[in-house]
Amino acid sequence: MRRRAVAALVAVLALASACGVPATGITEVGPLPRAEGPAVNNTVYFLKGGKLMPVVRPGLPGAPLMPLRQLGHGVTDNERRMGFTSTLPGVGIVTGLPDPSVHDVGPAGAQTQTTPEIGESDKVTVALETTIPPAQWPRVWQAQIACTAEAIPGVEKVELNIFDGRPGREVRCADYRDLLGTSVRN
Amino acid sequence: MRMAAAFAAVALLASVLASGVGYVLVRDAMLERTQDAVVAQVRQTVARLVPARVPTDAGRTLSDTLRNALSTTDGRQRAYVETLPLDRPVPPPPPGRLHVPVSAAFAARATRAMVVQRVRHRGRAYLLVGTFTSGYVTSATDPQRTTPPIVLVSVSLDRETADLRSFTRAMATADAAALLFGLALALVAARGVLRPVRRLGTGARALAAGELATRVEVRGRDELADLARTFNQAADALETTVSELRVMEAGARRFVADVSHELRTPLTSMTALTDVLEEDPDGTAARLMAAETRRLGVLVEHLIEISRFDAGAAALVLDDVVVAAAVAATLQARGWSGRVAVEVPDDLVARLDPRRFDVVVANLVGNAFRHGRPPVRLEVRRAEREDVPGFELVVADAGPGIPAEMLPVVFDRFVKADAARTRSEGSGLGLAIARENALLHGGTLEASAGTEGGAVFTLWLPLAGAR
């Protein structure tokens, strides 16, 4: 009788201890997912032999302003080997089109709220990480920004600014026609 | 009580076992479903959002997109997405990004395959999912700029825990109900079993106390009813046996009394005659004395005979007997040859004990002469009883017959047709012995009143002898 009671008690305890959600070890649940997201082509203008040359790079859908930001990161090793260079400093702020990628950091879900003023959706504003007023930026910088921006579908006007309280400088790619070379793919 | 406890224990064990198994199954299914859903979502999201050619220097943008897609606003699911550093181990996510700290081993394994882990942190359960991307194109010389991010997702399992808790509560309620139900059932069943058992016990005690008429009520068709029926049969048998014994005991007592009386009667006569004998010169007294002595001898012989029957020591010595010859021999030996009208088929042969047959016939014919009046008829004819071939031997006289109230007791010992006639030549045992002989042969002996007065005794014996 006593042995049976002990057995029953053990069973009940075992059941009770199995309650709740138990922890587990690390378990593999399959291979890594394959990257098969859609890719778009972006055009970025770099210098080659002193001339402005477009470079086609892969981009992300829904991130139209990415080429402008990529300008600030400079050329890749491949592009450098092909003779491309860039002297642009880092690109600080890019506004104008709805693009979540312009806000690198920040809490999740905050992007839509800080989507910039969309009043002039055909105009983008680019600020460089520099204190030099836009009017004094080297023409090559201005040309790179203006042509890269105008290569983005839907962009008509480009404003260069450093947000120092003064109005920015509107530029067009056509203003720098003298710097343009023939198109090359990287 | 022990039965009820066992019932309850079985009910409890069964319900706890069943609910325990059910609980584990439900829990595993629930957690597996949650995990499958999260894993599928992470896998699809990563595959959908990470392009095969990762844009240069777009790690931040890609990470933000992925983190947005993999986080929920209610905070149940949080994601930590960071460009995979190629030159060093994956840095642990800063505190607060995910619900729980992630071990370095988990992050390292997440770069090779999709992994999950369930962890408990501060008393709550979380599901961790880690993955990276395969199939992307990167440049050989500058891979860091085109590497997709590593994705770590933590999911709070609070909802599942709450579901399980409510499930547990429901199960505990059900178990308690099962226990109560089992207990009630056990009590009912125990009463159903114990009541008849108690009745049987009472009956047995009453029987033991000598109340032989005690019977128990038989209810239902189960084993207990069987037992009650057997009990009743045993009580029946006991009652019958005991009453038979009592009847036999009473008979024996009366017999002893009768024997004493019968022995005393000739002894009294003999004592008186001895006195007379001393003075009587002509010998009448001596003859009477001799007669009484013979009578006493016959009585003692008969007593010995009947006591053999009583003791079951009487044995048949069977032989093939021609009935006609046997009857004739009996009559001739007693000197009754001419005085009885005999009618016996010549060819009737029966298997019987000749000595006992002789005793019966002599007794019946002797009785007819003693108590009835001539003419005495003796008739033998074939007769079947209950399909057994046999023969009837009928002895009839023309006397006064047997009074109707005497017919049932005429074969009892020491029964006299005329109560006043206490002294007769018979021992009073003759008919009893004749009847015992008939029964020993498997036959019968009956007395009846004749159609024209007189007594009729009918002996029936089987032809083949006693079986």
Side-chain angles (χ1 to χ4, degrees), chain B residues 432-454:
Chain B
I433 290 172
R435 185 170 157 101
E436 292 289 353
N437 276 321
L439 293 178
L440 197 61
H441 278 90
T444 59
L445 179 59
E446 290 140 14
S448 59
T451 46
E452 298 151 16

Side-chain angles (χ1 to χ4, degrees), chain A residues 18 20-21 27 35 37 70 101 104, chain B residues 23 27 50 56 61 64 116 120 134:
Chain A
V21 177
T27 317
Q70 284 181 332
S101 69
D104 301 332
Chain B
Y23 176 84
R27 181 192 65 192
V50 178
T56 315
T61 309
D64 288 347
V116 296
R120 293 193 68 87
S134 69

Side-chain angles (χ1 to χ4, degrees), chain A residues 1 4 8 11-12 15 18-39 41-42 56-60 63 66 69-70 73-81 99-111 185-186, chain B residues 13 16-17 20-21 23-24 27 31 35 39 43 46-58 60-62 64 67-68 71 103 105-106 109-120 125 131-136 139 141-142 145 157 160-161 164 168:
Chain A
M1 203 64 196
R4 225 184 308 166
V12 167
L15 280 170
C19 282
V21 177
T24 62
I26 302 169
T27 317
E28 291 193 9
V29 288
L32 293 172
R34 281 192 74 81
E36 36 194 37
N41 282 334
N42 289 340
V56 178
R57 282 184 170 183
L60 288 175
M66 184 185 280
R69 286 200 53 243
Q70 284 181 332
H73 285 286
V75 295
T76 63
D77 283 357
N78 256 351
E79 289 159 352
R80 185 174 299 115
R81 228 173 291 130
D99 182 352
S101 69
V102 295
H103 298 278
D104 301 332
V105 280
Q111 270 80 3
R185 271 187 73 106
N186 74 326
Chain B
L13 196 69
V16 164
L17 263 182
V21 170
Y23 176 84
V24 170
R27 181 192 65 192
L31 292 176
Q35 175 179 314
V39 164
R43 180 181 291 279
V46 168
R48 181 164 52 85
L49 292 181
V50 178
R53 295 189 65 200
V54 180
T56 315
D57 308 314
R60 275 265 163 85
T61 309
L62 197 54
D64 288 347
R67 186 167 55 239
N68 272 334
S71 302
S103 66
F106 184 83
R109 282 187 67 178
T111 63
R112 296 193 294 272
M114 199 152 176
V115 288
V116 296
Q117 184 179 17
R118 238 175 11 233
V119 293
R120 293 193 68 87
T131 189
F132 184 58
T133 315
S134 69
Y136 62 92
S139 66
T141 52
D142 200 8
R145 292 174 71 180
L157 294 177
E160 284 73 11
T161 309
L164 276 178
T168 311

Side-chain angles (χ1 to χ4, degrees), chain B residues 234-246:
Chain B
D236 276 343
L238 192 62
E239 192 180 16
T240 312
T241 310
V242 168
S243 47
E244 268 172 13
L245 281 175
R246 279 183 187 155

Side-chain angles (χ1 to χ4, degrees), chain B residues 301-302 305 308-309 313-319 321 326 330 334 352-363 433 437 440-441:
Chain B
E301 223 167 80
H302 282 184
E305 183 79 14
R308 270 199 200 119
F309 282 116
L316 275 180
V317 185
L318 291 177
D319 204 352
V321 174
T330 300
R334 305 298 191 285
L352 37 81
D353 185 330
R355 186 184 72 78
R356 294 185 188 279
F357 183 67
D358 171 71
V359 168
V360 175
V361 173
N363 177 266
I433 290 172
N437 276 321
L440 197 61
H441 278 90

Side-chain angles (χ1 to χ4, degrees), chain B residues 353-432:
Chain B
D353 185 330
R355 186 184 72 78
R356 294 185 188 279
F357 183 67
D358 171 71
V359 168
V360 175
V361 173
N363 177 266
L364 292 181
V365 175
N367 274 350
F369 281 128
R370 263 200 301 279
H371 304 302
R373 269 197 297 273
V376 173
R377 290 183 295 111
L378 190 156
E379 194 182 322
V380 174
R381 55 174 176 262
R382 293 171 202 272
E384 264 187 23
R385 289 202 183 168
E386 290 164 3
D387 291 338
V388 180
F391 67 94
E392 267 179 5
L393 183 148
V394 180
V395 177
D397 65 67
I402 306 165
E405 71 272 13
M406 288 293 290
L407 274 178
V409 296
V410 76
F411 294 108
D412 285 3
R413 293 161 193 186
F414 301 119
V415 168
K416 306 271 165 64
D418 183 359
R421 195 187 58 195
T422 52
R423 269 185 52 86
S424 72
E425 302 96 78
S427 64
L429 293 171
L431 275 176

